[in-house]
Amino acid sequence: MASARGKTGDASNEVYLLEAKNITKKFGEFTANDNVSIALKAGEIHALLGENGAGKSTLVKMMYGSLQPTSGTLFWNGEQVEINNPSMARDLGIGMVFQHFSLFESLNVVENIILAIPEEDDIAALAVKIEKVSAQYGLPLEPYAVVADLSVGERQRIEIVRCLLQEPRLLIMDEPTAVLTPQEAEQLFITLRKLTAEGVAILYISHRLEEVRKLCHDATILRRGIVVDNVDPQQETAQSLAQLMVGEAIHKIEARSAKKLGKTLLKTQNLNLKSGLQFGVDLIDINLDVRAGEVLAIAGIAGNGQSELFDALSGETRVSKKSTIQLNGVDCGTRGIRFRRKCEAAFAPEERLGHGAVPSFKLSENVILTRHDSDDDLVRYGFMDGKLMKAIAARITKKRDVRVSKTDPEAESLSGGNLQKFIVGRELDRAPKVLIVNQPTWGVDAGAAAMIRQALINCAGRNAAVLVISQDLDEIFELADRIAVISRGQLSKSFAVEDMTFEKVGLLMAGAHEKALPADNDAADNDAADVEVEDNGAPV
Amino acid sequence: MKIILEKRAQQSKIMAYASPVLAIGLTVILGGIIFALAGYDPQTALYYYFVEPLTNFWSIEEVIVKATPLILIGAGLAICFSANIWNIGAEGQLTMGALVGSFIPVMFTDWQSPLVLLLMLVMGAMGGAAWAGLVAFLKNKFNVNEILTSLMLVYVAQYILDWFVRGPWRDPNGYNFPKSVSFEGWQLLPTYGDGRMHIGALIALIVVVLLTIMMTRSLKGFEIRAIGNSRRAGAFAGFSYKGMTWFCFLLSGALAGLAGIMEVAGPAGQLLPSISPGYGFTAIIVAFLGRLNPMGVLLAGILLAISYLGGDGAQMELGVSVKTAQVFQGMLLFLILTFDTLIRYKVKIIRSQTAEGELT
């Protein structure tokens, strides 16, 4: 592992594998990439850093042929090329692993891969190839497993193997570790280092700076479509990289000083819930409690029951027993979200547009969306108070520094970070006793994320019980007083943040706490074995 | 090569209102071409269709008579469609309203009192609501697609009406014609002018005003728009989708039923096997042409009433088939939906097939 890591051998190669020179991409008036140049060497892991909207995706889409530059040129091995579509990119030897997988859940691994390789038609032969490649690069994969049964990490392996079968010379990876446990991520790094040792170049998009610092040989930083710097990440600190990305010092989060906990305000007792959806996750025996003044954070990889848990807590799905869920001392398992809001609970879901807010509604109308019942004055005799709606929207906009282009804009016109500030602000404005937030800073820029996290901590400081469900481990450790982990619909015990480490969370993410279920016995056993193997990796 | 529709980042507000105007303009132009191809002078034909109905008092009154059911039903459907709930069977609800509302005048022929008229209207609305409620029940209970059930129930309703007027409710002194006894006195709506324009026009106007207030100011209207725009966000607000389904079907059904009984107690004056020239279907066009906005429905209802009348006029004057009016209506709906789609999406032509990268 260590041998593949040095910068030996690649300095001699003067011709770049892929070089983009003065690339500009405009969408109408908006310039997504402005005179961007970047050069990738064979055998190197090159990080592409930047906040959301900095232009990273635009740039890699041009390299992969899904977008065409407005001006500027691409060079492949020193020769000028035009990449008109992804299949041309693949023919050159460029592969890409997307953040969101394009897999058919009801098909198995080989079937999914054969769909992407039109010239291949022999399933059995391909299965052998898949086994060979996956063994070679340490990507264990069962060719005939159905995708729906696989973990996110395994699904990502399918995407990677699919690329590797075409023997790429450049592999573009978009936020590959966002969906992995720390152990799985470590496993992936081994694979990536093996690939670079064979001379493959990797363009690595991530916002996890520690990981970039450890893994990458070179880093190009984009800010608002412009290359602001090109650095050796191993010579930088996470702090200095963040500052380059954001362009200003990031507001440091202040922890609360006094921690006097009050009564338990949020409690579930043996919460069991069958998911109605085909690939949904059943919740199994979830017990949690949050006391006034503390933040309980629930970690876990996406798709392990987080949204099901959120819906059960918010009352969008109800359970059959009243006492299963207790909010602010009131049993409300069977009651809907309106009743629960009246118990002074507030909720902010993961999906901002189309769940937390109606996209085409103005902010003032979106105030009504969650507060029509709980705020006495907003709706009287069935009629809405237009003035008050606007006043509340203005108050939230001001207090949470929501940047708007005009007064009272439509929700869909706001950037992700600004809309999230508004949605969280809308709930905080009620001064709730219980606050439940799912993925509070998912896809939010660093500045906004820091503000939102601070607001959540302050909310607990005002003696509310705060439950944060998040995939972002940094966020979890920043916010939490106690941490619990959800995997496959089962919630671990909670541990004080002082007693938790990334490795411990990682083991729990992989299901170390899961009780073996009668029907699922094999899978659970396999997972436990996996964890032991993967645990050899160095701590992140 | 393939053609795809790509969602626009920005939707033009102006175009949203211009779209019905453009659709009407293009319908007129295409209509002129069709007339020319069929061998009629397009100018004369279009004159009979769209201008002549407005040239004398009698026909203006007639426009109002025909616009009344279109506006009543269209306003109800506009509410439904705003909530993304699809009641396609207003014609059947109209039929049921007419049938149930006629119960008293047919069974108690001699009863004369203002109460009779009131009861007829109430029972008509209830008949329509019950028929639509059946659709809501099937959707909520068994998740049956409301488009199919509401549409199919139209034909069921029509056959039930047919059976009644040919069977038990046939006028004993009617020489075996399939019709009920003629209504009289308080069994008929008060009329104005030359005698066909009735108080229903006023009722339609009041309904439009009330629904406008509901949609813009009330929490119910907010609920309808929220669920229509995003069902998930509506659920997050705590609005019940099943409740909304009931509300929309009962409301639009009641308005269609009211329109039905007002046809019977107004222009027809008795129950006949066929009481509407497809008002329930045309009202779908009215709702869309009116931008799902009750006030817009008012204007759209008048316009389509003119086309009905123009169809009759053109048949009498030029011998054009009366079905041409339906061609016009069809073109109008088609064009307006096309324009609406183009406001939301732009057409993109992709020359070469791109692979999985594009799918993400």
Side-chain angles (χ1 to χ4, degrees):
Chain A
M1 187 161 85
S3 63
R5 198 169 155 187
K7 293 183 84 175
T8 48
D10 49 5
S12 60
N13 195 350
E14 282 307 314
V15 174
Y16 291 113
L17 182 65
L18 178 71
E19 193 177 8
K21 270 193 185 157
N22 311 104
I23 298 277
T24 297
K25 176 70 188 178
K26 287 188 180 173
F27 296 104
E29 289 291 290
F30 177 69
T31 309
N33 276 185
D34 189 358
N35 211 15
V36 169
S37 297
I38 183 171
L40 311 176
K41 280 181 254 176
E44 178 187 79
I45 305 182
H46 192 120
L48 186 58
L49 294 174
E51 289 201 87
N52 286 298
K56 294 171 299 193
S57 310
T58 307
L59 181 60
V60 295
K61 276 184 186 158
M62 287 187 283
M63 294 179 176
Y64 194 57
S66 358
L67 285 177
Q68 305 308 315
T70 312
S71 66
T73 19
L74 290 168
F75 295 90
W76 181 253
N77 277 324
E79 276 173 46
Q80 189 174 337
V81 283
E82 251 178 66
I83 305 175
N84 291 329
N85 53 51
S87 70
M88 265 181 87
R90 280 192 296 268
D91 290 344
L92 282 176
I94 301 175
M96 180 152 177
V97 177
F98 289 90
Q99 187 179 3
H100 302 286
F101 309 146
S102 43
L103 297 171
F104 293 94
E105 302 219 331
S106 51
L107 299 184
N108 68 28
V109 174
V110 197
E111 287 164 342
N112 264 290
I113 291 179
I114 210 161
L115 281 172
I117 311 177
E119 57 270 24
E120 195 79 55
D121 54 7
D122 183 350
I123 293 238
L126 185 64
V128 174
K129 267 195 208 167
I130 291 170
E131 273 180 332
K132 203 180 123 217
V133 170
S134 66
Q136 190 181 345
Y137 294 101
L139 297 160
L141 209 52
E142 163 55 50
Y144 294 106
V146 175
V147 170
D149 298 332
L150 299 180
S151 73
V152 184
E154 287 168 313
R155 290 179 198 204
Q156 187 183 54
R157 283 180 215 150
I158 304 176
E159 294 270 353
I160 298 174
V161 167
R162 179 149 84 180
C163 280
L164 294 184
L165 282 171
Q166 292 168 327
E167 294 170 2
R169 300 183 49 206
L170 168 65
L171 192 59
I172 304 172
M173 305 199 81
D174 190 2
E175 299 266 1
T177 55
V179 293
L180 302 181
T181 66
Q183 285 83 359
E184 282 175 321
E186 208 55 47
Q187 189 71 28
L188 173 69
F189 298 159
I190 296 172
T191 304
L192 295 185
R193 286 172 186 138
K194 234 180 222 162
L195 282 167
T196 50
E198 291 177 9
V200 175
I202 292 166
L203 183 62
Y204 190 88
I205 304 173
S206 179
H207 68 273
R208 293 193 174 170
L209 302 170
E210 279 300 341
E211 165 183 303
V212 166
R213 244 166 48 76
K214 280 181 48 195
L215 183 72
C216 301
H217 310 106
D218 204 345
T220 298
I221 296 143
L222 282 178
R223 196 195 306 154
R224 288 187 213 106
I226 300 168
V227 173
V228 290
D229 212 341
N230 193 317
V231 296
D232 178 351
Q234 297 174 3
Q235 305 298 319
E236 300 282 330
T237 64
Q239 195 67 36
S240 66
L241 286 173
Q243 204 150 331
L244 282 170
M245 265 167 60
V246 185
E248 57 193 88
I250 293 184
H251 173 70
K252 190 97 177 110
I253 290 185
E254 299 162 32
R256 280 159 294 133
S257 43
K259 290 197 182 182
K260 230 177 104 195
L261 297 187
K263 300 188 293 196
T264 298
L265 295 181
L266 165 62
K267 190 175 169 75
T268 68
Q269 281 174 309
N270 301 327
L271 169 59
N272 281 288
L273 195 64
K274 282 254 177 260
S275 163
L277 301 171
Q278 196 182 358
F279 297 112
V281 179
D282 300 338
L283 298 177
I284 301 157
D285 262 338
I286 291 195
N287 289 293
L288 60 84
D289 61 279
V290 191
R291 296 172 65 184
E294 73 170 343
V295 180
L296 172 67
I298 296 182
I301 301 162
N304 271 282
Q306 286 95 331
S307 33
E308 287 84 355
L309 176 61
F310 179 86
D311 287 353
L313 293 175
S314 73
E316 283 163 273
T317 39
R318 305 179 200 190
V319 292
S320 52
K321 218 171 115 194
K322 218 172 175 184
S323 61
T324 305
I325 295 168
Q326 217 183 62
L327 291 167
N328 199 13
V330 183
D331 289 338
C332 41
T334 56
R335 310 300 297 264
I337 190 166
R338 293 167 84 151
F339 180 86
R340 297 188 195 192
R341 287 201 179 103
K342 282 188 180 163
C343 298
E344 296 184 64
F347 311 94
E350 173 180 11
E351 195 68 33
R352 289 182 279 272
L353 284 173
H355 191 179
V358 178
S360 59
F361 278 15
K362 293 176 170 164
L363 293 185
S364 59
E365 294 178 295
N366 274 303
V367 168
I368 292 277
L369 192 73
T370 62
R371 294 172 56 165
H372 54 90
D373 260 344
S374 45
D375 290 33
D376 295 336
D377 293 337
L378 264 175
V379 178
R380 264 170 301 187
Y381 306 111
F383 288 92
M384 304 180 290
D385 184 336
K387 265 193 193 147
L388 186 58
M389 280 157 64
K390 290 204 177 82
I392 293 177
R395 181 167 79 209
I396 298 166
T397 310
K398 185 153 175 273
K399 172 131 197 221
R400 301 295 161 196
D401 188 27
V402 179
R403 293 182 200 157
V404 292
S405 50
K406 55 174 185 182
T407 35
D408 207 11
E410 285 81 24
E412 63 196 348
S413 73
L414 265 58
S415 73
N418 276 315
L419 183 57
Q420 186 69 359
K421 284 197 272 188
F422 175 80
I423 287 175
V424 173
R426 173 180 69 189
E427 305 309 320
L428 288 174
D429 186 64
R430 286 178 52 204
K433 289 265 179 63
V434 180
L435 178 63
I436 297 167
V437 195
N438 191 7
Q439 317 298 351
T441 61
W442 181 244
V444 166
D445 58 273
M451 282 188 64
I452 290 167
R453 288 173 193 169
Q454 186 67 57
L456 294 177
I457 288 181
N458 294 348
C459 179
R462 287 190 301 270
N463 270 324
V466 178
L467 178 72
V468 176
I469 305 172
S470 176
Q471 283 162 251
D472 184 336
L473 281 184
D474 296 328
E475 170 167 275
I476 298 254
F477 277 88
E478 231 167 39
L479 289 177
D481 296 304
R482 282 187 295 130
I483 298 174
V485 179
I486 190 166
S487 77
R488 284 193 283 182
Q490 300 191 41
L491 190 71
S492 74
K493 276 195 311 196
S494 67
F495 301 91
V497 65
E498 298 83 17
D499 303 332
M500 274 303 232
T501 59
F502 271 50
E503 292 73 61
K504 251 186 167 172
V505 174
L507 287 175
L508 292 169
M509 278 176 162
H513 63 284
E514 285 176 30
K515 285 180 219 134
L517 298 170
D520 233 25
N521 232 337
D522 285 355
D525 284 354
N526 281 341
D527 250 43
D530 269 2
V531 170
E532 273 169 20
V533 175
E534 290 170 9
D535 201 23
N536 296 332
V540 180
Chain B
M1 197 186 87
K2 64 178 173 181
I3 299 170
I4 57 167
L5 290 177
E6 195 178 80
K7 199 160 189 186
R8 290 178 197 269
Q10 291 266 307
Q11 294 169 19
S12 163
K13 280 249 162 66
I14 301 163
M15 282 311 290
Y17 289 98
S19 132
V21 179
L22 286 173
I24 292 166
L26 207 53
T27 305
V28 170
I29 294 169
L30 288 173
I33 294 173
I34 291 174
F35 283 131
L37 288 175
Y40 301 102
D41 174 31
Q43 221 175 335
T44 325
L46 290 173
Y47 171 81
Y48 280 117
Y49 256 89
F50 293 108
V51 186
E52 212 260 353
L54 298 174
T55 50
N56 62 62
F57 268 118
W58 173 84
S59 55
I60 290 178
E61 276 182 27
E62 201 59 20
V63 165
I64 295 174
V65 169
K66 290 195 156 40
T68 300
L70 289 175
I71 292 167
L72 264 180
I73 304 169
L77 294 184
I79 306 295
C80 267
F81 299 164
S82 297
N84 240 329
I85 287 169
W86 303 100
N87 180 2
I88 307 299
E91 184 77 4
Q93 293 138 27
L94 174 149
T95 306
M96 271 314 193
L99 185 67
V100 176
S102 301
F103 176 78
I104 291 175
V106 172
M107 301 307 282
F108 307 97
T109 356
D110 298 331
W111 190 12
Q112 283 293 341
S113 144
L115 189 63
V116 172
L117 187 60
L118 189 67
L119 281 174
M120 283 168 68
L121 294 180
V122 170
M123 285 173 68
M126 281 169 50
W131 204 243
L134 210 55
V135 181
F137 172 77
L138 290 169
K139 179 173 168 71
N140 282 342
K141 186 79 182 172
F142 304 109
N143 203 17
V144 186
N145 186 312
E146 76 267 30
I147 297 175
L148 292 176
T149 47
S150 62
L151 183 60
M152 292 191 295
L153 281 170
V154 170
Y155 306 107
V156 178
Q158 284 174 343
Y159 282 118
I160 293 175
L161 172 69
D162 204 71
W163 179 75
F164 268 98
V165 289
R166 290 176 200 277
W169 285 11
R170 190 173 52 190
D171 182 2
N173 307 318
Y175 307 101
N176 261 345
F177 279 110
K179 55 181 187 161
S180 75
V181 291
S182 294
F183 298 175
E184 280 172 24
W186 280 111
Q187 297 162 346
L188 292 169
L189 292 166
T191 54
Y192 305 94
D194 290 344
R196 273 172 59 91
M197 196 168 65
H198 55 81
I199 200 167
L202 196 63
I203 295 177
L205 205 59
I206 294 170
V207 165
V208 164
V209 171
L210 290 179
L211 290 183
T212 303
I213 295 172
M214 179 183 86
M215 285 308 278
T216 51
R217 299 250 170 272
S218 79
L219 185 66
K220 196 73 198 172
F222 179 86
E223 185 178 337
I224 292 163
R225 290 185 292 129
I227 288 180
N229 271 292
S230 163
R231 194 169 151 184
R232 188 92 206 267
F236 185 62
F239 302 143
S240 152
Y241 184 75
K242 288 189 173 176
M244 182 51 65
T245 305
W246 278 114
F247 177 82
C248 283
F249 273 103
L250 293 180
L251 178 73
S252 59
L255 289 174
L258 192 60
I261 184 59
M262 290 200 315
E263 278 306 292
V264 175
Q270 64 192 154
L271 206 53
L272 299 166
S274 164
I275 41 169
S276 138
Y279 288 139
F281 293 119
T282 308
I284 298 170
I285 307 171
V286 171
F288 276 108
L289 193 63
R291 309 284 73 196
L292 305 186
N293 171 329
M295 282 295 176
V297 162
L298 190 65
L299 298 176
I302 292 170
L303 184 83
L304 276 139
I306 293 174
S307 85
Y308 265 118
L309 214 59
D312 290 344
Q315 185 183 32
M316 283 187 283
E317 301 292 332
L318 301 172
V320 182
S321 161
V322 76
K323 300 274 184 211
T324 323
Q326 286 177 22
V327 175
F328 270 106
Q329 293 174 0
M331 274 199 298
L332 191 56
L333 181 64
F334 175 80
L335 288 169
I336 195 158
L337 292 178
T338 308
F339 282 125
D340 284 354
T341 307
L342 290 177
I343 290 171
R344 269 179 293 148
Y345 301 90
K346 59 184 167 200
V347 179
K348 209 175 161 187
I349 297 168
I350 294 180
R351 246 168 245 113
S352 62
Q353 187 77 30
T354 49
E356 87 271 23
E358 283 287 303
L359 294 174
T360 56

